[in-house]
Amino acid sequence: MEYTLRLGDNALILGQRLAEWCGHGPILEQDIALSNIALDHLGQARMLMNYAAKQKEDGSTEDDIAFKRDIFDYHNLLLVERENGDWGKTVMRQFLFDTYNYFFYTQLLKSKDAKLRDIAHKAIKEITYHAQWSAEWVIRLGDGTEESHQRVQDSLNDLWEYTGEMFTMDAVDEKMVAEGIGVDLNPIKDLWYEKVAEILDMATLQQPEDGWMQSGGKQGEHSEYLGYVLAEMQHLPRMYPEASW
Amino acid sequence: MLTVADLGIVREVKFDGDQPTVVITPTYSGCPAMNEIEQNILQKLKAEGVENAKVKTVLHPAWTTDWMTEEGKRKLKEYGIAPPEGSSADKSVLFGKPKQVQCPHCGSKNTQMVSQFGSTACKALHKCLDCQEPFDYFKCI
């Protein structure tokens, strides 16, 4: 179940982050694009949380999973909870994650877990569009004006230390890989580095040196940002537990 | 009227004795219409005198625009939405080669993609360079 939650939490928290842009995008088309992508992430989160709730076998629902867990029970990568910042930072965060997500879900298509496999088949179609969209924007901003280049380079430098966690295998990953359910992150890492280098090169951006990498999100140790995300997302169902529409 | 069967959302109807189960599948993971579609199917069946129908949502095999009927594509076009072009097996669009989509208003192929993401998850935003009208294109997935 924890493995399912990790995937679901990545989708939910990133979807919630992107939803903050709704009504604030730089132009209408891109506002709509981000809302679309946010909706895809939320849809994927629902499928995964619905599955996690069933795996829990205690009558929990997808809403319980999303709204009744606190920070330490969330298992998303630190990268997805990072603040939106400016447009360039949101785009860069999305690119770093989408590229990972694309290779990850491509492998998840082969999972021995039928439900995860079905979800992957559904999600990969959407993720492919996301990955293309964010790569295009990284190129446009990186190879754009001096200002856009500098901003997106700064974002890349800021976010780089959160990329290491994507490829760090812990006991949960090892177990899931051994059972043929999960994805081996080592080959994903190579594919990711290759693709990222290719796009950054086209974007005339400088790939940062690998230094010390942040970790802990998958195990429930988060940055202060996640508390604010959850506070906003969970406020209504926690204040009015019976609310429905 | 464009129906859920035209769109390929209804996959099959199974019978357990005299109890029908309508199997549906979402177009996109986050499609907000799924609940509405389920309710409408049940209401319609009820109105037709079928009280014990059930609706089941399946994810696999994942929905594809290939399941859309020719009739469905024609109706979309009449409504002003360009139907998906070609087969989903053609992935060239995902590598920066947008398909030549025909304008549903004037029929011109001199069109341009404005954004891959349109007014709903399943559509992209295009514009016609001849009649200058913007239009939605049902993405081929």
Side-chain angles (χ1 to χ4, degrees):
Chain A
M1 184 188 81
E2 188 177 329
Y3 198 73
T4 312
L5 279 180
R6 286 182 179 184
L7 306 185
D9 290 348
N10 280 340
L12 181 65
I13 299 302
L14 188 56
Q16 180 72 17
R17 269 295 190 210
L18 294 180
E20 290 172 28
W21 272 102
C22 188
H24 301 277
I27 52 171
L28 183 61
E29 286 79 5
Q30 295 312 322
D31 193 294
I32 293 171
L34 264 198
S35 302
N36 267 231
I37 296 171
L39 185 63
D40 287 342
H41 283 303
L42 288 181
Q44 291 157 15
R46 281 192 65 185
M47 298 191 296
L48 289 158
M49 290 187 174
N50 194 295
Y51 184 39
K54 286 207 176 83
Q55 286 174 307
K56 234 176 147 193
E57 292 180 332
D58 63 357
S60 291
T61 66
E62 60 186 60
D63 282 345
D64 295 333
I65 301 270
F67 298 128
K68 292 186 182 164
R69 282 180 305 147
D70 207 345
I71 300 167
F72 301 112
D73 296 319
Y74 262 81
H75 298 279
N76 57 280
L77 295 166
L78 296 174
L79 178 66
V80 300
E81 71 198 42
R82 299 311 296 167
E83 77 281 25
N84 282 342
D86 59 19
W87 177 251
K89 192 157 193 176
T90 294
V91 161
M92 184 53 78
R93 182 187 63 199
Q94 197 65 25
F95 166 66
L96 297 172
F97 181 76
D98 284 344
T99 309
Y100 161 81
N101 220 23
Y102 174 76
F103 291 122
F104 185 95
Y105 273 81
T106 304
Q107 285 306 308
L108 197 64
L109 294 173
K110 300 175 199 156
S111 173
K112 278 189 183 162
D113 184 293
K115 187 75 185 174
L116 283 181
R117 201 170 57 226
D118 287 357
I119 293 173
H121 274 281
K122 188 82 213 151
I124 192 69
K125 295 188 181 204
E126 296 155 3
I127 293 168
T128 309
Y129 271 103
H130 303 169
Q132 195 199 359
W133 177 87
S134 54
E136 280 177 5
W137 267 98
V138 165
I139 295 167
R140 186 171 297 141
L141 294 173
D143 195 18
T145 65
E146 208 172 301
E147 169 91 10
S148 73
H149 175 89
Q150 194 52 50
R151 282 192 183 217
V152 81
Q153 179 70 56
D154 290 345
S155 303
L156 176 62
N157 298 345
D158 276 354
L159 292 170
W160 196 254
E161 67 186 45
Y162 297 96
T163 60
E165 189 188 13
M166 299 193 285
F167 312 109
T168 312
M169 303 271 285
D170 69 356
V172 175
D173 288 308
E174 299 282 3
K175 183 165 176 283
M176 289 293 111
V177 171
E179 290 177 17
I181 294 170
V183 173
D184 184 351
L185 298 173
N186 294 311
I188 303 290
K189 181 177 181 174
D190 295 338
L191 290 165
W192 184 87
Y193 269 86
E194 196 182 322
K195 188 70 188 169
V196 165
E198 180 196 330
I199 299 294
L200 292 183
D201 187 51
M202 287 166 80
T204 71
L205 292 167
Q206 194 71 40
Q207 184 172 328
E209 294 284 322
D210 280 350
W212 183 75
M213 292 286 186
Q214 297 274 1
S215 64
K218 289 205 277 194
Q219 293 79 22
E221 295 161 21
H222 293 277
S223 65
E224 67 276 25
Y225 289 113
L226 185 62
Y228 292 99
V229 175
L230 293 187
E232 186 171 22
M233 186 180 79
Q234 298 181 338
H235 168 78
L236 200 122
R238 282 185 186 268
M239 278 295 279
Y240 307 98
E242 305 301 324
S244 65
W245 71 86
Chain B
M1 185 177 61
L2 185 69
T3 69
V4 280
D6 287 334
L7 287 173
I9 288 171
V10 173
R11 300 313 305 147
E12 60 174 329
V13 181
K14 289 190 283 201
F15 282 91
D16 183 10
D18 67 347
Q19 183 179 41
T21 300
V22 182
V23 180
I24 58 175
T25 193
T27 53
Y28 281 73
S29 310
C31 178
M34 286 314 283
N35 210 16
E36 192 78 5
I37 290 171
E38 179 176 334
Q39 291 311 316
N40 284 353
I41 290 173
L42 290 175
Q43 265 173 24
K44 179 70 184 163
L45 285 172
K46 216 166 204 172
E48 299 287 330
V50 184
E51 299 277 346
N52 62 346
K54 287 195 297 188
V55 172
K56 188 180 169 206
T57 302
V58 296
L59 297 178
H60 188 76
W63 182 82
T64 158
T65 37
D66 299 346
W67 293 342
M68 198 181 283
T69 62
E70 288 308 313
E71 177 75 358
K73 289 180 185 173
R74 185 183 60 76
K75 289 176 186 169
L76 272 180
K77 196 171 172 181
E78 274 174 18
Y79 186 73
I81 298 172
E85 300 255 352
S87 153
S88 65
D90 177 8
K91 292 281 181 274
S92 62
V93 67
L94 299 175
F95 300 102
K97 291 191 201 109
K99 286 182 181 145
Q100 238 17 73
V101 175
Q102 194 177 25
C103 171
H105 305 299
C106 73
S108 165
K109 288 209 165 185
N110 186 20
T111 62
Q112 196 178 51
M113 185 176 72
V114 178
S115 170
Q116 263 165 15
F117 299 93
S119 54
T120 64
C122 47
K123 288 177 287 179
L125 191 60
H126 284 244
K127 69 174 174 187
C128 177
L129 300 175
D130 283 336
C131 73
Q132 304 291 323
E133 286 289 327
F135 64 92
D136 273 335
Y137 166 59
F138 212 107
K139 278 189 282 203
C140 192
I141 65 166

